[in-house]
């Protein structure tokens, strides 16, 4: 490795000068050194307990894949009945038990029902593909890792998984707050609930093991290209074919993408911590201890050096190749941006990346690069991308939100977040500026071709349904508490129950009923802001056990229409009813509605009869479109997108990018 490093420094003179003046001066002298080295200075020092008599246990963290399907895993765990399980997500509940589709489920926590000793065994699965075991024997760990395989997306090589695992010791102490001392985690007996402290430590550990895998991948990459440099130095030759160079470039981009995407590696504090004063410092402390920020910077620096090396390889290839490669690089940049988009998409995405809508926008030149990019007005702009929130006086509501939140910790958190987004956008725009007209034209042509090919393979033969419960938690609470309604008998929940209400707490609301939405009150908004917007707002604490029980009831209805339905969260699922429609064909009487509409209307009615709650549905030739459609006639409605090419094309053309699931305010502003 060292010969490569030294040699690189000579042959990459130009490159290195640039790198050395880069923003991380302390690491510049040996930029290609193993980042793991930096990490290992700090890890695997299993210190003795503070009090030598205190009992210690171990916590083990592994990163096994790019991501987990936590919904699927959760279903398996519940079926097996060996563990109690709880889900957590950003919406912000201390002991949440629901996956939220919009934000994705962040973590799953399980505890065994059968106890072995007094110390609780506890396991956290994090959506980014890491799992953290507290006091779990190796045998049990391996069993769980094996079961986990079915739910892994983008599995990492076995040797990386085990080499990069982290192990630390922990103990308990009669103190009020958990802390980290002498490389040991000390859990506070008085802290309640304790599992949130454990989650916080696990969160940082999960990041560390993830970064470890990325570091190992990069190290392997560097080792593989070592011979290139040798050849170049000894013989002035490059023995790599164009395809190999391209493959390597692709791998580099993918890596860079992973590091940059996980902004948590750098300094971002996840939303989860904003109103958890005890936990945020714990998380930061643990991150510092594991050296995460610095390692991520080193890694980024190494990546740019590798990219520069590839640059040199490109210039050594002959001219025709050179031109070809250059536009391939542009394509890779396009792919990098598109990947960021796709990364957040659900199933069946490829069918849906439709022709003429978004792609040109990625490079449209309608932005003044020197102007700040966001919020001409308020920082705390109302996010009204939610059913029942059309035609609100957005400006007025945003102003009230801004006023209500100024000076609060929430405001500071959002401000910092916005600054980071601005910096990222500025960076993207800088990159964009460096792209020449010629490169852009070539890349656009290529992307156009890809899109045309995708269009050709569009399949309209299947019928997908997305069913989503209306104001789910709120509707359950309204159903069960007559004081939340005006008492009238109208069967449609949203007319009958006309008191503005929301479910959640002062820290964060999980959802609001449709009346409260007219005031601008919505999910992911702190309760205190909700009450400013709507002084009569009733806030009810959540009851996850109940939501789960309701979910079990309507899931049985789903299974009748599609035994393989995919639940996306506690209140929604995708169904493929193609087969159901085929078998059902001869049993139906003629009607004005299409066959699919009839069937879905029946399905919703069955849900209502079984739960006294309304659901909305979208029917379309793929899941992404079905998801968009289920929001159109919400609440208590459905929308059918006929499976005809021109109908679909027109529908997609009119769609704003924000309607695509996974594109929120942040990604939207990056894409513009
Ligand atoms: N939820 C949450 N935190 C969020 C968003 C949602 O805890 N930030 C919970 C509460 C919701 C449930 O998930 O009731 C379902 O989320 P939806 O986005 O489907 O919203 P609703 O069902 O409440 O309303 P809609 O009628 O718009 O579907
Ligand atoms: Ca819903
Ligand atoms: Ca939902």
């Amino acid at each position: 490795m060292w010969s490569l490093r030294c040699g690189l420094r000579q042959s990459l003179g130009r490159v290195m000068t640039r790198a050395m003046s880069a923003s991380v001066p302390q690491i510049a002298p040996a930029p290609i050194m193993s980042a793991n080295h930096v990490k290992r200075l700090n890890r695997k020092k299993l210190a003795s307990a503070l009090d030598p008599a205190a009992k210690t246990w171990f916590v083990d963290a592994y990163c096994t894949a790019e991501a987990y399907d936590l919904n699927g895993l959760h279903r398996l765990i519940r079926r097996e009945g060996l563990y109690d399980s709880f889900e957590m997500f950003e919406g912000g509940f201390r002991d949440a038990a629901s996956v939220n589709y919009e934000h994705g489920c962040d973590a799953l926590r399980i505890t065994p029902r059968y106890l072995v000793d007094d110390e609780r065994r506890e396991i956290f699965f994090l959506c980014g593909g890491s799992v953290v075991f507290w006091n779990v024997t190796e045998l049990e760990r391996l069993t769980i890792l094996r079961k986990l395989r079915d739910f892994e997306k983008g599995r990492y090589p076995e040797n990386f998984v085990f080499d990069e695992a982290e192990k630390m010791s922990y103990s308990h102490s009669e103190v009020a707050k958990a802390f980290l001392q002498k490389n040991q985690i000390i859990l506070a007996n008085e802290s309640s609930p304790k599992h949130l402290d454990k989650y916080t430590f696990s969160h940082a550990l999960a990041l560390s093991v993830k970064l470890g895998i990325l570091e190992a991948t990069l190290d392997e990459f560097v080792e593989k290209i070592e011979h290139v440099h040798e050849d170049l130095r000894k013989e002035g030759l490059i023995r790599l074919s164009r395809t190999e160079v391209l493959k390597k470039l692709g791998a580099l981009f993918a890596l860079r993408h992973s590091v940059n995407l996980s902004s948590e590696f750098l300094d971002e504090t996840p939303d989860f911590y904003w109103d958890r004063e005890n936990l945020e410092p714990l998380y930061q402390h643990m991150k510092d201890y594991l050296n995460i920020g610095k390692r991520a910077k080193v890694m980024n620096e190494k990546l740019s050096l590798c990219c520069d090396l590839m640059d040199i390889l490109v210039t050594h290839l002959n001219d025709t190749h050179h031109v070809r490669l250059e536009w391939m690089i542009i394509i890779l940049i396009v792919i990098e941006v598109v990947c960021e988009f796709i990364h957040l998409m659900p199933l069946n995405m490829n069918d849906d990346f439709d022709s003429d809508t978004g792609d040109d926008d990625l490079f449209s030149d309608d932005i003044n690069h020197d102007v700040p990019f966001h919020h001409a007005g308020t920082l705390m702009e109302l996010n009204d991308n939610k059913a029942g929130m059309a035609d609100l006086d957005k400006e007025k509501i945003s102003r009230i939100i801004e006023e209500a939140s100024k000076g609060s910790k929430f405001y500071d958190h959002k401000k910092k977040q916005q600054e980071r987004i601005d910096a990222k956008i500025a960076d993207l725009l800088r990159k964009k500026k460096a792209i020449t007209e010629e490169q852009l034209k070539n890349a656009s042509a290529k992307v156009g071709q890809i899109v045309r090919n995708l269009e050709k393979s569009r399949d309209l033969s299947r019928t997908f349904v997305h069913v989503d419960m209306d104001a789910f938690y709120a509707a359950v609470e309204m159903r069960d508490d007559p004081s939340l309604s005006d008492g009238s008998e109208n069967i449609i929940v949203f007319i009958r129950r006309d008191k503005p209400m929301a479910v959640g707490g002062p820290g964060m609301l999980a959802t609001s009923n449709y009346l409260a939405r007219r005031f601008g009150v919505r999910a992911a908004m702190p309760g205190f802001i909700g009450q400013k917007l709507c002084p009569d707002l009733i806030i009810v604490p959540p009851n996850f056990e109940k939501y789960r029980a309701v979910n079990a009831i309507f899931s049985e209805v789903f299974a009748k229409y599609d035994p393989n339905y995919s639940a996306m969260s506690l209140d929604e699922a995708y169904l493929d009813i193609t087969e159901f429609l085929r078998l059902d064909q001869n049993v139906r009487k003629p009607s004005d509605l299409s066959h699919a509409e009839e069937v879905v209307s029946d399905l919703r009615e069955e849900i209502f009869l079984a739960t006294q709650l309304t659901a909305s549905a979208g029917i379309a030739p793929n899941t992404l479109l079905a998801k968009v459609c289920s929001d159109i006639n919400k609440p208590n409605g459905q929308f059918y997108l006929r499976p005809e090419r021109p109908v679909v094309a027109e529908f997609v053309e009119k769609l704003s990018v924000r309607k695509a699931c996974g594109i929120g305010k942040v990604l939207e502003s990056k894409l513009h």
Side-chain angles (χ1 to χ4, degrees):
M1 183 71 81
W2 265 109
S3 67
L4 171 69
R5 262 176 257 144
C6 302
L8 270 175
R9 229 171 288 156
Q10 289 148 20
S11 61
L12 298 182
R14 171 181 65 84
V15 171
M16 294 301 289
T17 325
R18 201 149 35 104
M20 296 229 201
S21 59
S23 56
V24 199
Q26 72 274 32
I27 50 135
I32 306 245
M33 88 177 196
S34 162
N36 290 347
H37 171 68
V38 180
K39 175 170 67 164
R40 285 180 184 126
L41 292 179
N42 260 350
R43 56 183 275 205
K44 292 179 183 161
K45 285 188 225 156
L46 300 179
S48 56
L50 274 181
D51 164 6
K55 205 159 182 285
T56 60
W57 295 269
F58 290 109
V59 49
D60 292 274
Y62 304 81
C63 177
T64 68
E66 280 164 27
Y68 292 147
D69 163 17
L70 288 184
N71 279 312
L73 176 66
H74 198 174
R75 275 199 294 278
L76 175 80
I77 287 168
R78 274 196 259 168
R79 236 186 357 258
E80 290 189 341
L82 297 172
Y83 298 86
D84 287 321
S85 53
F86 311 85
E87 287 156 2
M88 302 182 81
F89 54 93
E90 264 176 10
F93 288 102
R94 280 148 217 280
D95 196 0
S98 152
V99 194
N100 169 265
Y101 186 76
E102 205 180 340
H103 297 251
C105 172
D106 286 344
L108 179 64
R109 164 183 159 244
I110 64 172
T111 56
R113 293 195 173 155
Y114 307 101
L115 301 182
V116 177
D117 57 24
D118 291 344
E119 175 57 13
R120 175 193 280 278
R121 279 132 67 217
E122 207 153 10
I123 303 156
F124 293 88
F125 302 91
L126 289 99
C127 62
S130 302
V131 49
V132 183
F133 298 92
W134 293 77
N135 185 34
V136 178
T137 60
E138 188 173 13
L139 188 64
E140 190 174 357
R141 268 182 274 144
L142 292 177
T143 312
I144 289 176
L145 288 175
R146 217 174 15 253
K147 281 190 192 166
L148 197 51
R149 284 188 183 184
D150 291 340
F151 307 98
E152 288 171 343
K153 302 174 194 163
R155 189 177 161 66
Y156 292 128
E158 191 105 344
N159 57 331
F160 282 9
V161 171
F162 289 99
D163 287 356
E164 298 305 322
E166 297 271 3
K167 193 179 196 68
M168 286 181 75
S169 62
Y170 75 93
S171 69
H172 300 273
S173 167
E174 295 302 326
V175 286
K177 279 187 190 172
F179 60 103
L180 194 63
Q181 189 162 324
K182 293 191 182 163
N183 307 324
Q184 186 177 31
I185 293 169
I186 314 293
L187 295 170
N189 280 342
E190 287 163 41
S191 165
S192 166
K194 220 176 196 177
H195 70 257
L196 276 186
D197 293 345
K198 281 186 175 175
Y199 171 70
T200 305
F201 286 116
S202 305
H203 198 168
L205 275 168
L207 272 187
S208 180
V209 282
K210 177 98 191 170
L211 192 54
I213 298 272
L214 298 178
E215 286 162 348
T217 312
L218 182 60
D219 284 350
E220 191 184 61
F221 179 91
V222 171
E223 263 163 48
K224 277 193 188 150
I225 56 170
E226 195 164 7
H227 75 93
V228 176
H229 163 255
E230 279 299 301
D231 293 347
L232 198 64
R233 192 170 58 83
K234 283 193 198 133
E235 306 167 40
L237 273 178
I238 294 175
R239 293 188 195 281
L240 278 181
S241 69
R242 268 175 301 151
T243 325
E244 281 169 320
V245 172
L246 287 179
K247 264 198 197 153
K248 291 192 186 308
L249 256 176
L252 275 180
F253 273 105
L255 265 180
R256 196 143 82 161
H257 180 66
S258 309
V259 179
N260 286 334
L261 245 195
S262 307
S263 42
E264 289 171 51
F265 285 144
L266 303 164
D267 1 288
E268 195 144 312
T269 312
D271 270 354
F272 179 81
Y273 297 101
W274 83 262
D275 69 338
R276 298 189 158 91
E277 278 170 11
N278 288 348
L279 299 184
E280 188 183 343
L282 208 57
Y283 174 73
Q284 289 301 351
H285 193 170
M286 188 70 172
K287 260 182 79 179
D288 290 346
Y289 165 73
L290 295 163
N291 230 341
I292 289 172
K294 207 186 258 172
R295 283 163 56 200
K297 279 188 186 153
V298 170
M299 168 111 188
N300 268 331
E301 201 64 16
K302 283 171 68 175
L303 276 165
S304 11
L305 277 162
C306 288
C307 287
D308 285 338
L309 171 67
M310 297 313 280
D311 217 26
I312 290 195
L313 290 187
V314 171
T315 54
H316 274 73
L317 290 166
N318 73 32
D319 266 353
T320 16
H321 298 168
H322 176 90
V323 173
R324 216 182 116 102
L325 275 167
E326 202 170 42
W327 70 249
M328 282 307 291
I329 291 169
I330 304 305
I331 300 265
L332 283 166
I333 294 175
V334 175
I335 290 171
E336 194 180 7
V337 178
V338 173
C339 270
E340 188 152 347
F341 177 83
I342 289 173
H343 178 81
L344 298 156
M345 288 285 153
L347 329 167
N348 278 25
M349 166 58 213
N350 348 14
D351 307 352
D352 314 313
F353 198 70
D354 208 274
S355 46
D356 301 317
T357 42
D359 313 287
D360 286 344
D361 291 347
L362 291 180
F363 293 106
S364 70
D365 224 351
D366 56 355
I367 282 181
N368 177 351
H369 296 179
D370 306 322
V371 172
F373 323 100
H374 73 94
H375 53 86
T378 46
L379 172 73
M380 310 294 289
E381 198 173 64
L382 172 75
N383 175 354
D384 61 353
N385 187 23
K386 184 99 189 118
M389 298 192 81
D391 317 317
L392 294 184
D393 185 344
K394 198 171 162 181
E395 233 171 73
K396 184 173 156 211
I397 295 176
S398 300
R399 236 178 302 122
I400 302 178
I401 299 177
E402 179 104 0
E403 279 308 307
S405 51
K406 251 189 193 146
S408 70
K409 222 174 156 247
F410 181 69
Y411 189 84
D412 293 345
H413 173 79
K414 286 288 169 195
K415 197 164 153 216
K416 270 193 222 144
Q417 212 173 38
Q418 188 61 53
E419 281 162 8
R420 276 191 294 262
I421 296 167
D422 286 352
K424 250 193 167 161
I425 293 174
D427 191 46
L428 275 177
L429 288 174
R430 258 194 305 279
K431 280 187 194 154
K432 184 181 142 186
K433 259 187 171 172
I435 299 173
T436 68
E437 280 291 312
E438 180 71 16
Q439 291 169 326
L440 194 56
K441 236 176 74 197
N442 285 332
S444 302
K446 185 71 192 167
V447 171
Q449 188 57 47
I450 295 172
V451 169
R452 276 189 295 280
N453 288 344
L454 274 177
E455 186 57 48
K456 268 190 225 145
S457 64
R458 187 189 279 284
D459 177 7
L460 298 174
S461 67
R462 305 201 72 82
T463 308
F464 289 93
V465 185
H466 178 254
V467 186
D468 186 282
M469 301 301 290
D470 300 323
F472 184 45
Y473 296 180
V476 174
E477 298 304 332
M478 289 192 294
R479 181 193 70 177
D480 295 350
D481 180 355
S483 76
L484 297 173
S485 83
D486 69 351
S488 73
E489 287 302 310
N490 195 326
I491 201 161
I492 302 172
V493 169
F494 301 94
I495 295 172
R496 179 166 52 128
R497 319 281 181 167
D498 70 345
K499 290 189 183 169
M501 63 84 69
V503 178
M508 199 56 89
L509 298 179
T511 192
S512 55
N513 70 358
Y514 277 71
L515 185 59
R517 291 182 197 186
R518 301 311 304 157
F519 295 83
V521 178
R522 56 157 297 158
M525 173 183 276
F528 75 90
I529 293 181
Q531 265 158 341
K532 272 270 162 30
L533 288 170
C534 172
D536 293 333
L537 183 72
I538 303 168
I539 300 182
V540 181
N543 180 341
F544 297 108
E545 276 315 307
K546 211 152 75 172
Y547 311 146
R548 243 186 230 297
V550 176
N551 171 281
I553 297 171
F554 60 71
S555 297
E556 280 182 28
V557 180
F558 292 159
K560 281 206 232 168
Y561 290 79
D562 174 10
N564 302 316
Y565 74 90
S566 320
M568 297 310 291
S569 79
L570 218 50
D571 92 320
E572 68 190 85
Y574 289 111
L575 282 70
D576 179 346
I577 57 164
T578 318
E579 189 57 16
F580 185 94
L581 290 176
R582 198 178 61 78
L583 297 172
D584 185 63
Q585 237 161 27
N586 304 323
V587 229
R588 250 166 223 273
K589 297 192 195 88
S591 128
D592 288 347
L593 293 179
S594 70
H595 187 197
E597 284 172 293
E598 278 272 333
V599 166
V600 172
S601 173
D602 288 355
L603 180 152
R604 291 176 37 241
E605 197 174 317
E606 274 192 58
I607 292 179
F608 185 79
L609 290 175
T611 63
Q612 295 298 296
L613 299 168
T614 60
S616 298
I619 313 159
N622 65 50
T623 53
L624 182 96
L625 290 173
K627 165 91 181 162
V628 175
C629 291
S630 70
D631 224 39
I632 292 177
N633 287 324
K634 219 175 211 316
N636 198 20
Q638 64 185 52
F639 182 87
Y640 178 45
L641 181 66
R642 274 183 293 128
E644 291 158 24
R645 209 164 279 274
V647 177
V648 174
E650 195 192 333
F651 182 81
V652 176
E653 194 148 331
K654 288 190 183 142
L655 214 58
S656 102
V657 278
R658 267 305 270 285
K659 290 287 172 197
C661 168
I663 304 201
K665 191 172 113 188
V666 176
L667 194 51
E668 184 193 26
S669 51
K670 282 190 206 166
L671 289 173
H672 274 290

